[in-house]
Amino acid sequence: MPSYCPFCGTQAPDDARFCMKCGRERPVAPAAPPQPAAPPPPSGAPGVEPPAVPAYMTRPAAPPPGYAPVPAGPSPAGIFFGRVMRGDWAGSLKAAVWPTGLIIGLAVALAIPDYGQGDDVVVGWSDRLRIALAMLLQAFGGGFEVRAVVPGGGGGYGGASPYGDTYGDFDPGGQSQTTLSLIPLTVTVLWIGALILGAGGVRRQGGGLDAAVRISVVATAAVLVLGLYAQPEIESYSLHSSPVLAALGALALALVTTCAVLQRDVAAAWLAQRPGAQSFVRAAGTAVRALGAVLLLCGLIGYLTYATLDDVNGTALLMALPLLPNIALMVLSVSWGGSVEYDARGQADIIGSGMDHGSFGLGELSDAANDWALVGALAAGLVCALIVGLLAGRRSADRREQVTAGGLFLLGFLALTAMSGLSAEFSGNVADIGGSGTLDVSPSVADALLFGLLWVGGAVLVAPYLARMTGGGGPGGGSPAYPAPPSPYGPPNPGPHIPGPYTPAPGPYTPAPGQNPAPGPYAPGPGPAPHTPPARSTAAEAGVPEAAAPAAEPPTSTLHAPYAPAPDPAPAQPPAPRRRRAVLVWGATLTAALVLGGGATAGTLALMDRHDDDPGTSENGKGKGSDRATAAQDRTSEAPSEEAPSTEASATTDPAELVFPDGYSVIADTAGFSFALPDNWERQGEKNHQVTYAAAPGDTALLKVGVIADAPYTSYENFKALEKTAAANQRNYQQIQLSANTFQGRPGARWEYTYEDKSGQTVHAIDQSYIAEDGTEYAVYVTERDVDWVAAREVFDTALSTWMLNDVD
């Protein structure tokens, strides 16, 4: 019958002294009284065995009275979090003071200037402090959004037409707000550095992973509290800083940083047993060092260049300090042949009206400054590439590690480039920044990938030569770039060297104490398989005097092999040829790097930037954007679309030959176009590149003609971008059609939609736009209440059917 442990109830064999689960000694069961022996079966009768009982039919015996099972112990996760809760929170709080104090100190420094408010201070010091905190917390992913407290407040820009003005009396209202997306990478780097300092003190006290969790929790809680505080309300505007997103970003950064610091020794021991992982980590460290050195150099160049501008004051220089890595990434992108792209859409006080898309690269730098600025940028790019190659050559053990370091550097460069841009969105009138549109300024990631591959690839190619010329290479720092293979003869004997022929004595060879009889680098090493050189037949072949030659070959010893003398080493060569060879290699390396990087950069730019030869390019450096717009026009013109119901009128058509309804007459505008309008309609004025026609001022039916010279976009792209703003700011926006088409043989687009005005009336609008041969965009835009749309549609169709370009002055 099975027995059970009286302490934990675990079934155990009868003869077990200790329980296999709880380990306690079981009490000895009293011996059962002897049972009388069964009488033996009669002689000759066959023995009968009892039938076997299946195991599933047996049931364990009931536990003894008073048995209480021992509860199961906590899980490993529970044990770990128990250590976290019972740990040294005071030490973790001291470690988190470093990064938190850094953020507060930077915010105080940014809040000291009054930013030109003068005597009439609207934004006080405490409000400026909270605004500065909101801007700094974007380093962890926080937001910066200014909203009007009253919906639709700010006025004046509730709804914008495709060309920047409001819809007359049909302003759809909406929430006025300004959103800014910018990651100040300087703050991110400094916060991580301060966290490393704080975690280093805990590491010296023996802290582990539980301390890393405590420090991260405290630092994250501090960021959350600061984010909640950084949401002021100033007059009729409120600031939102997204504290939860900032806290989540800070938690991720803190966990990675503190675990890396506190588990450094454990990670080193783990990596020591895995050479592949150790090589990868060492290459990552090389890439981080190279990226830091390159960004420090480019940030210094960019900041000094920014400080020399005429309209830059001390406040602007102070505001640029949190953006030093962002500036450095732009400088590095331009120096390596890339570009910084900008895109402005809609209308706002700081971006103008319409759409503007372009880029700033080496070509624009030469036009804005001079050719020496172009040479300096290329020189900075070459120095940055040489820094990458030098660090990769000196800190890498082999070629594979050098390539890994270069690849990780390129990945880090691309990731930071993607995060370094500025994005802003405007809607309504907030803090005297009125308008409705978007603004994006950022380095081109595609250009960074293309030119980064060229420059980093060249740097990795010349890395071994740079390491040899600077006396480095490998972790040990010796001159060869790769470690020498181990000698099969063991380490050399450090004893003194005695030149001259060696004559072995008969018998096993035993060198004199402190003496190395071999003139060459050969030295015997102990082991079961010593090296045995081939036997010498004569004294002449052995290279020793004939009188001293032994009578017989000495026997081979199991401890020492017989020596064969090596020839005396040749006299050392003078170092002048080696220096000359190093100079030649250095010069060839620099030339190759310059040709590979600068030549490839110039060649690629020549293929990508042909703005001097394109007829639709303006004089203000928008060539690259015009090239892209032209390509987009070609794509949209080939797309299936609904053709505009218009005739193929041209500038040579006689206005008398045009057919239009009664009550219409052809008008010729000084902006360079003509078309037919109702007789009672007149020109109301021109504003924001638009000419407005109506029957009377303030009438609900309007016809507007937009004229944008050298438009750096296609009409379809413009409508797609403007529809996002319209859908966000108009009540009950409904698209009827938005498609690319062809108008008078040129690529264009048609956009028709409805929305509700402030009075709840449905407004109907339609717009036909196209790009003329000289690059000017013309758009015919008609809007009217939906209940009177039939008459307005006739005005629109008649204007398109009689549209002509002329040379009226």
Side-chain angles (χ1 to χ4, degrees), residues 691-732:
V691 182
T692 303
Y693 295 89
D699 197 357
T700 58
L702 298 173
L703 185 146
K704 298 183 180 183
V705 178
V707 181
I708 304 295
D710 299 321
Y713 50 78
T714 65
S715 298
Y716 183 73
E717 288 176 337
N718 188 23
F719 284 166
K720 291 291 290 184
L722 293 172
E723 187 190 31
K724 296 179 181 179
T725 303
N729 297 307
Q730 295 173 359
R731 297 191 185 101
N732 296 331

Side-chain angles (χ1 to χ4, degrees), residues 493-570:
N493 192 335
H497 172 67
I498 301 178
Y502 166 68
T503 305
Y509 167 71
T510 304
Q515 213 176 38
N516 185 3
Y522 178 81
H531 173 71
T532 305
R536 303 290 184 178
S537 60
T538 62
E541 295 176 356
V544 298
E546 188 174 351
E553 291 287 338
T556 302
S557 170
T558 58
L559 298 177
H560 300 282
Y563 282 102
D568 290 336

Side-chain angles (χ1 to χ4, degrees), residues 410-495:
L410 183 60
L411 288 178
F413 171 54
L414 294 176
L416 292 178
T417 299
M419 295 188 299
S420 64
L422 163 68
S423 177
E425 184 176 351
F426 308 93
S427 176
N429 190 346
V430 177
D432 294 331
I433 301 178
S436 179
T438 59
L439 171 66
D440 293 294
V441 180
S442 62
S444 173
V445 179
D447 291 349
L449 175 60
L450 172 62
F451 294 107
L453 283 173
L454 294 175
W455 285 96
V456 176
V460 173
L461 181 65
V462 302
Y465 307 102
L466 293 175
R468 290 174 184 174
M469 284 184 287
T470 55
S479 59
Y482 312 104
S487 172
Y489 310 121
N493 192 335

Side-chain angles (χ1 to χ4, degrees), residues 66-134:
Y67 162 74
V70 178
S75 63
I79 296 175
F80 173 75
F81 284 106
R83 290 203 311 268
V84 170
M85 298 303 298
R86 293 188 300 269
D88 183 15
W89 284 95
S92 302
L93 181 61
K94 293 179 181 179
V97 166
W98 288 84
T100 306
L102 171 72
I103 296 295
I104 296 176
L106 291 177
V108 170
L110 291 175
I112 291 176
D114 59 359
Y115 299 96
Q117 296 184 83
D119 297 334
D120 187 13
V121 177
V122 178
V123 183
W125 184 86
S126 60
D127 290 332
R128 294 199 300 270
L129 176 65
R130 300 169 79 175
I131 294 174
L133 283 173

